[in-house]
């Protein structure tokens, strides 16, 4: 197949676009779309966000890949927030790629296929040689904020937090009016590593170009008409929120259904919303379909554990990732043997991800993508997370079950990953430093 050239304007390079590591090769001018012989050394490609390279609201095993890579190759991936419409002036205007993705008039809707979820995902990336049963390691080499394309904001970056109807707090509000949805727009200061609130407003009914009235935030990509809302500039004065850049949604395509809602996470990763998936970490995903078909999006400037009110600071970020394939045959006898869930490795810890249902698509059958929203609970999520951490310790560190549970209790931490994504999450964190390296199994060979 012919290669595809993906162009982007130099004026829209993300802030902080520097060589993250001397080992990262320069970006190639073309993007491969078929598998060939692996090069002697890793290659580096870029996928610019455009209506042709994003899919809105779903993962799918049937999507045609936008790029094909070999194990150990690098990809710079532009991701666009699905909340840019909360402030068109700051987060869409003047950026041709975002304007094209969001373009929607009474006559034309450029990305017409939106849903059943909400996230704008870039990809998929096809990894040559990846087969069901393998593990795909995705190293997060760098994450860079995408500046506003509007020249009046001087290259600043903005994001949106939505205290929305799906938030955990929605039926527990204290002050009137209630219920209510509130959008807070943040401005990021990457030089000083924090964000501050620019203003907030209460959601008012919005009419989309197709004439539908949206009483709540119920459809992705609706651009807020700011003539209908009251902006309150006196918001969180004197508060500086530390930046914690990460992608809320990264994962591979599941095998159970043709189109899978981008909101509930599961064994394939997806919308984990784990703030720990930061620069210098690596995610391991069980491969379910040929080529893995990795996609990423839902970028966050910052988020606390639980993502309680509905969203993080949703923004647009460009990530630099390295893809490393671990073949099933190479996993036996290694620390990754038996890993069939999203596993995070940080410089200091191993983090396992548990859910209300480890694989809700399999467990709930034909109506899984509807039923999961009514069945979420933290009790089974904690049980799943602790069981996965037990198994990880028994396999990777040669512990007995009794030893594992004692160590989990006295040496591990559990946190609420999120309570807003349908399949609620709890992650267990075990520090690497508590183990004698001689008792830890090795990592598998790199393909």
């Amino acid at each position: 197949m012919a290669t595809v050239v993906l162009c982007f304007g130099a004026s829209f390079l993300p802030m902080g676009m520097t060589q993250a590591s001397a080992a990262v090769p320069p970006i190639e001018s073309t993007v491969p779309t078929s598998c060939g012989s692996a090069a002697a050394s890793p290659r580096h490609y870029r996928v610019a966000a455009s209506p042709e390279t994003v899919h809105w609201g779903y993962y799918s095993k049937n999507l045609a890949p936008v790029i094909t890579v070999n194990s150990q190759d690098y990809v710079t991936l532009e991701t666009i927030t699905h909340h840019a419409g909360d402030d068109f002036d700051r987060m869409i205007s003047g950026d041709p790629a975002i304007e094209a993705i969001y373009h929607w008039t009474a006559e034309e809707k450029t990305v017409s296929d939106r849903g059943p979820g909400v996230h704008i995902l870039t990809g998929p990336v096809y990894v040559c040689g990846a087969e069901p049963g393998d593990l795909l390691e995705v190293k997060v080499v760098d994450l860079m904020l995408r500046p506003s394309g509007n020249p009046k904001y001087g290259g600043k970056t903005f994001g949106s937090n939505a205290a929305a109807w799906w938030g955990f707090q929605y039926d527990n509000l204290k002050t009137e009016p209630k219920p209510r949805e509130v959008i807070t727009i943040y401005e990021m200061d990457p030089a000083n590593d924090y964000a501050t609130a620019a203003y907030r407003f209460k959601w008012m009914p919005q009419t989309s170009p197709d004439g539908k009235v949206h009483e709540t935030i119920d459809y992705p990509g609706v651009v807020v008409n700011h003539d209908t809302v009251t902006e309150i500039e006196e918001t969180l004065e004197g508060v500086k929120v530390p930046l914690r850049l990460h992608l809320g949604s990264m994962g591979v395509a599941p095998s159970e259904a043709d189109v899978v809602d981008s909101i509930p996470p599961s064994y394939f990763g997806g919308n984990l919303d784990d703030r720990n998936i930061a620069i210098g970490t690596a995610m391991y995903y069980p491969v379910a379909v040929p080529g893995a078909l990795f996609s990423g999006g839902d970028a966050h400037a910052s988020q606390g554990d639980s993502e309680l009110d509905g969203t993080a600071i949703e923004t647009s970020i460009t990530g630099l990732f390295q893809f490393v394939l671990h073949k099933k045959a190479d996993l036996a006898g290694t620390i990754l043997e038996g890993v069939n869930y999203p596993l995070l490795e940080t410089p200091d810890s191993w983090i396992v991800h548990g859910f209300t249902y480890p694989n809700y698509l399999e467990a709930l059958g034909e109506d899984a993508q509807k039923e999961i929203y009514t069945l979420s609970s933290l009790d089974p999520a904690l049980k799943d997370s602790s069981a996965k951490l037990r198994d990880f310790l028994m396999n990777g560190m040669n512990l007995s079950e009794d030893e594992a549970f004692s160590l989990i209790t006295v040496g591990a931490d559990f946190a609420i990953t999120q309570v807003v994504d349908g399949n609620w999450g709890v992650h267990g964190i075990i520090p690497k430093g508590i183990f004698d390296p001689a008792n830890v199994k090795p990592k598998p060979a790199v393909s």
Side-chain angles (χ1 to χ4, degrees):
M1 297 176 66
T3 55
V4 178
V5 179
L6 298 178
C7 301
F8 55 94
S11 60
F12 300 103
L13 281 172
M15 289 183 290
M17 190 58 155
T18 58
Q19 194 81 339
S21 166
V24 180
I27 297 175
E28 310 244 345
S29 59
T30 57
V31 172
T33 55
S34 63
C35 291
S37 300
S41 59
R43 314 292 286 270
H44 181 190
Y45 307 101
R46 184 183 186 94
V47 177
S50 73
E52 293 72 40
T53 61
V54 303
H55 46 108
W56 201 324
Y58 61 95
Y59 284 84
S60 175
K61 62 185 178 182
N62 297 327
L63 275 171
V66 300
I67 184 174
T68 299
V69 301
N70 288 300
S71 180
Q72 302 190 60
D73 282 347
Y74 296 84
V75 178
T76 292
L77 204 69
E78 294 183 5
T79 72
I80 305 302
T81 178
H82 58 292
H83 274 273
D86 293 340
D87 190 324
F88 181 93
D89 199 37
R90 288 173 169 84
M91 292 192 282
I92 298 179
S93 179
D95 188 314
I98 306 181
E99 287 179 345
I101 291 167
Y102 271 81
H103 178 72
W104 184 7
T105 66
E107 295 76 30
E108 184 181 25
K109 188 180 186 183
T110 303
V111 183
S112 58
D113 189 8
R114 304 183 187 184
V118 298
H119 308 98
I120 301 174
L121 301 172
T122 307
V125 177
Y126 187 101
V127 181
C128 296
E131 300 172 307
D134 298 342
L135 270 183
L136 179 64
E137 178 182 358
V138 181
K139 296 181 179 181
V140 184
V141 181
D142 205 358
L143 297 169
M144 301 145 282
L145 291 167
R146 186 184 187 101
S148 173
N150 192 331
K152 78 177 184 179
Y153 293 110
K156 295 178 180 178
T157 301
F158 298 91
S160 172
N161 164 250
W165 60 266
W166 62 86
F168 196 79
Q169 85 303 332
Y170 194 65
D171 61 357
N172 194 35
L173 294 169
K174 181 177 181 179
T175 59
E176 297 292 346
K178 56 183 181 179
R180 63 186 180 275
E181 294 179 295
V182 176
I183 306 291
T184 303
I185 301 298
Y186 285 84
E187 177 184 327
M188 273 65 84
D189 184 347
N192 293 298
D193 207 31
Y194 64 77
T196 56
Y199 68 92
R200 72 183 189 275
F201 63 88
K202 183 167 73 73
W203 178 274
M204 300 299 290
Q206 299 296 314
T207 303
S208 52
D210 57 6
K212 293 182 180 179
V213 177
H214 301 269
E215 299 287 343
T216 61
I217 308 170
D218 64 354
Y219 187 78
V222 174
V223 174
V224 174
N225 177 358
H226 277 247
D227 290 338
T228 67
V229 301
T230 300
E231 299 180 3
I232 303 172
E233 294 184 356
E234 297 77 18
T235 297
L236 291 175
E237 293 184 321
V239 174
K240 297 179 179 179
V241 180
L243 294 182
R244 295 169 170 171
L245 271 58
H246 61 283
L247 295 195
S249 189
M250 302 196 315
V252 296
S255 61
E256 289 79 4
D258 290 339
V259 176
V260 176
D261 188 339
S262 69
I263 297 174
S266 191
Y267 75 92
F268 58 87
N271 193 34
L272 293 179
D273 284 324
D274 183 353
R275 65 175 179 83
N276 296 291
I277 306 173
I279 297 170
T281 67
M283 281 295 300
Y284 296 87
Y285 301 101
V287 176
V289 301
L293 297 180
F294 172 91
S295 297
D298 186 31
H300 298 163
S302 195
Q303 179 207 304
D305 289 332
S306 84
E307 200 179 19
L308 191 131
D309 78 352
T311 79
I313 299 180
E314 309 289 325
T315 192
S316 296
I317 282 176
T318 295
L320 171 58
F321 306 99
Q322 186 181 29
F323 296 87
V324 180
L325 181 62
H326 300 286
K327 297 296 293 179
K328 180 180 181 180
D330 297 329
L331 299 177
T334 75
I335 195 170
L336 299 179
E337 183 179 5
V339 172
N340 59 357
Y341 52 83
L343 173 68
L344 174 63
E345 181 182 8
T346 78
D348 304 318
S349 305
W350 290 98
I351 302 178
V352 303
H353 293 90
F355 310 103
T356 302
Y357 290 91
N359 182 347
Y360 76 94
L361 294 167
E362 180 181 74
L364 301 180
E366 185 177 346
D367 295 325
Q369 297 191 59
K370 294 180 180 178
E371 291 187 8
I372 188 60
Y373 287 103
T374 64
L375 297 174
S376 289
S377 170
L378 287 176
D379 287 354
L382 178 57
K383 182 173 288 187
D384 182 45
S385 180
S386 60
K388 286 172 177 172
L389 187 51
R390 171 203 62 196
D391 293 347
F392 180 74
L393 294 174
M394 291 177 68
N395 172 70
M397 284 70 176
N398 291 304
L399 301 185
S400 70
E401 183 173 27
D402 292 337
E403 289 175 314
F405 273 126
S406 179
L407 181 57
I408 287 170
T409 302
V410 302
D413 291 306
F414 289 89
I416 299 172
T417 325
Q418 52 74 26
V419 289
V420 293
D421 293 340
N423 200 13
W424 291 0
V426 171
H427 55 276
I429 309 169
I430 190 76
K432 293 178 177 178
I434 64 178
F435 300 100
D436 182 341
N439 297 329
V440 178
K441 289 184 180 179
K443 292 183 183 179
V446 175
S447 296

